[in-house]
Amino acid sequence: DKISFLADMIGTKSRWEGEVLLKIALVDDNTDFLLLLRKKVHTFFDGRNVLCEVRLFPNLEVFYFDLEEGFHYDICFLDIEM
């Protein structure tokens, strides 16, 4: 699947170029779901030896503020019903 392919590519890159940190944003107004998704994301990438930084956002405004401040993310999981 596409996520496994991405993880494999990142893992390959990290072996060639040193450690790569994958930056992931999770945006959802349901705090319990955010915590669950963070755990699943870490489990997935840790199992593939991919370093990742996961940031949680309880609403789009905080996420947009981060983007405006110059932060960037490699992967964003956005709640479509906020």
Side-chain angles (χ1 to χ4, degrees):
D1 66 27
K2 291 179 183 179
I3 294 176
S4 294
F5 175 75
L6 175 64
D8 290 342
M9 293 303 295
I10 293 167
T12 301
K13 183 176 181 183
S14 70
R15 284 191 292 274
W16 291 344
E17 300 176 9
E19 293 182 350
V20 172
L21 178 65
L22 184 62
K23 295 181 181 179
I24 302 171
L26 308 179
V27 184
D28 199 301
D29 55 351
N30 182 329
T31 305
D32 292 334
F33 182 75
L34 276 177
L35 297 174
L36 175 66
L37 185 56
R38 178 178 63 183
K39 182 177 179 181
K40 290 187 177 288
V41 166
H42 275 295
T43 299
F44 180 84
F45 286 107
D46 288 349
R48 288 159 178 77
N49 295 320
V50 175
L51 295 174
C52 65
E53 173 186 317
V54 179
R55 297 196 61 180
L56 308 180
F57 298 93
N59 58 56
L60 281 173
E61 290 79 18
V62 177
F63 176 64
Y64 288 151
F65 179 79
D66 251 24
L67 294 177
E68 289 174 355
E69 291 295 310
F71 289 94
H72 73 279
Y73 298 94
D74 301 302
I75 299 174
C76 299
F77 292 90
L78 306 174
D79 182 0
I80 58 173
E81 294 182 15
M82 290 185 72

